[in-house]
Every structure is written in structure tokens, then in C-alpha cells.
Amino acid sequence: MNRWFRFCAIVCCLVVMVPQVSLSAADAAADNLELKADIKKQDHLFKSGEPIELNITLLKDGKGVAGAKLGYMLEGDTAITGPGKTETGSDGTATIRTRLDRPGFIRCTVSCKNAAGKEIQKRIGAAIEPEKLLPGRTKPADFDAYWDNIIAESKALPFKVELVPVPVANANYQDKVEMFDVKINTLGDKPFIYGYLCLPKNAAPKSLPIVMSYQGAGFRSASQTFFAASKGRMILDINAHGLLNGQSPEYYKKADQDNSDYRVRGSENRDTLYFRGMIIRAVRALQYMKARPEWDGKTIIVSGGSQGGGQALAAAGLDPDVTFCFAGVPALTDHGGEVAGREGGWPKIIRTKKMDPAVITACDYIDAAFFASRIRNAQCLLSVGFFDPVCPPSCVYAAYNSIPAKQKQIIHDINSDHTMPQETFAIAEKAIEQHIQKNRQK
């Protein structure tokens, strides 16, 4: 998968608090213990109310350990969330039984320690009729008019763009691509968009597809997308926060410190929410790319992971010219899941603000599920991690199910948390390349 996608995903190191249960001294002394998890349905998909049996096996030297006490934690969209304990049978297997009487997800983490204190952990999850999940809130009646007015105002703003050539430091691409540090004027809370534009050298007019790359959470420079540009794409990776590119680590560290509250800043009003400006910048940058002479007039791809995935869904919903949207473990989805008794999507503004009614109303206007409901023409590819506590799978599915476009697909990463496996990157890259080649033949 192209390196530029890796900047899209935020990677979290997760510590799951599971009841720690030690094994008997005889069996626990060895370090060659292994936990295995199994579920009767290979696809991990269940109906509402259907019994779910999670089988956990503890092995020593490949053989089942009988009578071992295990601790586990059940989490997800269910009232049964909490810790528990179980014990392996004569074959070394313990069965944890649960169910969910409505669409949603559950995840179970099982753990034990040996006598030396070494922790062994295994996790397994299940989806319950995820195709029926809908946003926890109703889309505001004036949502479309609100954003249509903003986009119209952005289109009416004359472009003032600065392009500064940047040397391509990677010798493998110096003869193939060129790069520019781009500064674009914009509406919203920040006056400018900053990004790195990469494209093939000497590209002819109307010859290149557009690829927009949006950043995940954090404060850093835009990325340099040489590899993807060398494949015949015109790519603009923009800074999510309107920050300068190519600055010192201290610059971005200070920006992080100065904006430590950005996830909830201005959340009492739809016009002051921080992510409103981020979405405006995402669309404005795409408007600029469409004005470049190299665009082939056919293909526009928007992509990102986590926070970048939320921006990609917003851009695809707000610009009907977008033809392909890749949103890996997207954030900003289904804020109102909290209101419906589920987990809310990152950045969990409503939970942080303790269910403030004004915040609940304001968050409706930056909900990627509602932007997704406007995507009618673009081919869409999303990914979901069954163990993702940052962008919970129920929230991702609420957005996915809202997409009216006929051509859509969601990748189930049943063993993943808030990361995207290499296989998911490869699927996305293949789908994007096929989309580009198909459009070139039109």
C-alpha cells in the first residue's frame, strides 16, 4: 500500500483492564502457554437475540490445560459490559456465553498470568446485525441547506494560491515527480490551507486523476506522496489544522500543546465547532485541485483514516464530483450514538461534555454519518475494526449504512483495534487503481 495512506491512520496502544487470574503453580510456571479464541460463525456475524458462544482454549505444549481460571472483560453496545471469570474444562476450553438483543457489537478480552507474572491475552468480537445500525440522532432538517450555503460561499471566494517548488529528496523519484508546498486561502477559522502537492513531472493538461489525502489526529506536517504520484496521480495531502509544512518538531509540539482542547473546542455552537473549519478546508482544497489544468475531469478520489476518514466522508458528501471515497476506521461518525445508548464516535464530544443539549445539537452538523447520507455517486470503501474503542464499529456502520450510493463495500477487520492491517491497505490500493483505470477507459 502507498506510504501516503499510512499518514491517514492514527495508531493507538490500548491497555485493556481485564481481571488478572493466575494459573495453578504447576501449569503456570512454564512460559510456553497459549490462548486461542474461537467462535462458531467464521464471519462473526449474528442475529439480534441469537446466543453467542465465545470459546477460549488455554494450551500448554499444544495440549489443553484443565481447571485454569481465566479473567475476561466484555465491552461494546450492550448492558452486559463488565468483568467476569471462568474456568477451563477437561479439554482446556472455557465458553463465555452472551447475546445482544439489538444491532451492535460486542468484544471480549480474555487474560491470565503465569507464575512469573507474564500476561497472556486473547480477544474475540462479534457483530449483531450491523447492517441495521443507523445514526443515533436524526439528521437536522436544515443540514443540507446549512452546508450548501457554506460550499457556495467557498466556491465564490477567488483563489489566492502560493506554490513553492520543493526539492524531491528521495533519489528514486527525482526524475519522476515534482512537489510543491501549497498555500490556499479559505473560509472558516483559519485563513489558509497548507499542503504538499505531488504529481508526475511534465504532466499534460487533462491527464491526471485527483487524489485528496486527509490527515488523522495529531499535529504534523503534510506528507510527501512521491510513490503514489509516480503512478500517475495528482495528490494533495493537506495539514488538518492549517499549519505550515516542513517545520521543526518543536513547532508541531507547540501546536499540539496550544490546541490540546481542539477536539471539543467551540462545541456548544455549530458555527464555532473546531471540526467545522477542518471540513471547510478539506472541501476548499478539493475545489482548488479541480481548478488545476492537469485534472482529467473524470476522477476524484478522497481518502483518509480515522480523523482523515471523517474528512473524506464529508468531502464526498459535499462535492458530488467525487468518484471514489476511501475512509479507513473513520472518525466523526455517529456522535449521537451516545444519545441512543451506544458508544459515540471519536472524538466523543457529547460524552466529554456530559450530554450538554447544546453540544448534542451542534455535533449533528459535523456528523460524518450525515455527510455520508449525501454520497450518491461515489464508489465507497470503508474499513471497520471490531475491537476499535476510538472509532467504535457501531459508529462506522451507522455511517456506512447511511450511504445511498449503490457501489459500496466495508472491510471487516475482525481482530483489529484502531489500526488498519496491511491487508486492508492493499485492498484499498487495488480498488483505487482499478477505479482509476476504469475511468481512463471512459
Side-chain angles (χ1 to χ4, degrees):
M1 186 61 180
N2 294 351
R3 293 179 182 175
W4 60 278
F5 269 126
R6 296 189 183 278
F7 288 89
C8 299
I10 177 174
V11 179
C12 291
C13 296
L14 304 175
V15 179
V16 181
M17 301 304 294
V18 181
Q20 299 302 321
V21 180
S22 296
L23 304 176
S24 64
D27 288 329
D31 287 335
N32 56 340
L33 295 171
E34 180 185 7
L35 274 173
K36 288 190 174 182
D38 185 33
I39 198 166
K40 70 176 182 179
K41 291 192 173 182
Q42 193 171 23
D43 59 7
H44 293 225
L45 299 176
F46 291 81
K47 298 292 185 182
S48 295
E50 183 179 357
I52 300 170
E53 293 187 352
L54 310 174
N55 297 314
I56 311 298
T57 303
L58 180 66
L59 301 172
K60 175 188 175 184
D61 296 325
K63 297 181 180 179
V65 178
K69 293 180 172 60
L70 307 175
Y72 65 85
M73 176 69 77
L74 279 171
E75 301 173 283
D77 304 313
T78 169
I80 64 171
T81 297
K85 296 179 182 180
T86 187
E87 183 175 330
T88 60
S90 59
D91 60 352
T93 297
T95 299
I96 300 170
R97 294 176 174 85
T98 186
R99 71 176 67 207
L100 187 58
D101 294 327
R102 57 177 176 168
F105 287 78
I106 61 170
R107 53 186 184 265
C108 181
T109 304
V110 182
S111 181
C112 65
K113 285 186 177 181
N114 63 18
K118 181 179 178 181
E119 183 178 273
I120 306 167
Q121 194 175 91
K122 192 69 177 180
R123 62 191 187 185
I124 191 166
I128 297 84
E129 296 185 312
E131 71 281 358
K132 294 183 179 180
L133 283 164
L134 297 173
R137 295 267 294 170
T138 301
K139 180 179 173 182
D142 64 343
F143 180 93
D144 291 329
Y146 177 78
W147 278 102
D148 287 344
N149 288 337
I150 293 173
I151 299 307
E153 187 179 354
S154 179
K155 287 181 177 180
L157 181 68
F159 282 115
K160 295 181 181 179
V161 180
E162 295 180 19
L163 284 172
V164 178
V166 179
V168 176
N170 191 319
N172 294 325
Y173 300 107
Q174 288 173 350
D175 296 332
K176 300 177 182 178
V177 304
E178 55 185 346
M179 183 172 74
F180 300 90
D181 193 338
V182 182
K183 177 182 177 182
I184 308 167
N185 64 322
T186 185
L187 303 173
D189 59 340
K190 305 286 178 69
F192 298 107
I193 301 163
Y194 296 93
Y196 280 133
L197 171 64
C198 291
L199 67 163
K201 277 191 171 181
N202 304 314
K206 300 184 182 302
S207 65
L208 301 177
I210 291 171
V211 178
M212 291 299 307
S213 175
Y214 299 118
Q215 289 185 341
F219 292 80
R220 56 191 174 275
S221 175
S223 60
Q224 302 178 2
T225 55
F226 304 140
F227 176 72
S230 72
K231 297 185 71 174
R233 306 172 190 177
M234 179 170 62
I235 303 182
L236 178 59
D237 185 277
I238 64 169
N239 184 277
H241 304 282
L243 298 174
L244 297 171
N245 297 315
Q247 303 300 299
S248 68
E250 291 74 20
Y251 173 87
Y252 299 107
K253 182 178 180 180
K254 185 176 186 304
D256 191 357
Q257 294 170 344
D258 292 345
N259 294 279
S260 60
D261 68 335
Y262 88 87
R263 295 166 181 81
V264 297
R265 186 183 297 167
S267 56
E268 293 78 13
N269 188 294
R270 67 182 185 180
D271 294 327
T272 58
L273 274 161
Y274 186 90
F275 291 99
R276 176 184 183 273
M278 188 181 294
I279 292 165
I280 291 172
R281 292 190 290 276
V283 178
R284 172 72 169 175
L286 174 54
Q287 289 170 348
Y288 162 71
M289 291 288 277
K290 289 164 62 176
R292 289 193 60 88
E294 298 92 347
W295 179 39
D296 62 14
K298 299 178 181 178
T299 306
I300 299 176
I301 297 156
V302 294
S303 66
S306 191
Q307 177 183 268
Q311 293 173 76
L313 288 171
L318 293 172
D319 192 330
D321 290 335
V322 172
T323 60
F324 191 101
C325 174
F326 171 60
V329 290
L332 303 175
T333 58
D334 195 25
H335 303 289
E338 298 284 351
V339 181
R342 301 194 303 258
E343 296 176 287
W346 186 91
K348 305 183 188 297
I349 302 172
I350 292 175
R351 178 181 298 185
T352 303
K353 288 295 187 175
K354 303 185 185 304
M355 304 293 282
D356 182 325
V359 172
I360 293 172
T361 298
C363 285
D364 287 341
Y365 291 87
I366 57 159
D367 198 315
F370 297 149
F371 289 117
S373 72
R374 295 168 53 108
I375 304 175
R376 293 177 173 82
N377 303 317
Q379 178 181 344
C380 294
L381 176 63
L382 280 67
S383 77
V384 59
F386 276 32
F387 274 84
D388 191 344
V390 181
C391 299
S394 55
C395 301
V396 175
Y397 249 101
Y400 177 76
N401 292 336
S402 298
I403 298 171
K406 293 181 180 179
Q407 196 171 1
K408 64 179 183 177
Q409 176 187 355
I410 189 165
I411 302 168
H412 286 173
D413 292 326
I414 60 175
N415 295 313
S416 292
D417 43 53
H418 197 51
T419 59
M420 284 186 285
Q422 183 62 36
E423 293 80 3
T424 297
F425 286 115
I427 291 170
E429 170 60 20
K430 181 178 179 180
I432 287 171
E433 182 60 27
Q434 288 177 341
H435 179 77
I436 290 172
Q437 294 303 327
K438 181 179 178 180
N439 279 5
R440 280 177 175 161
Q441 295 171 8
K442 291 182 179 178

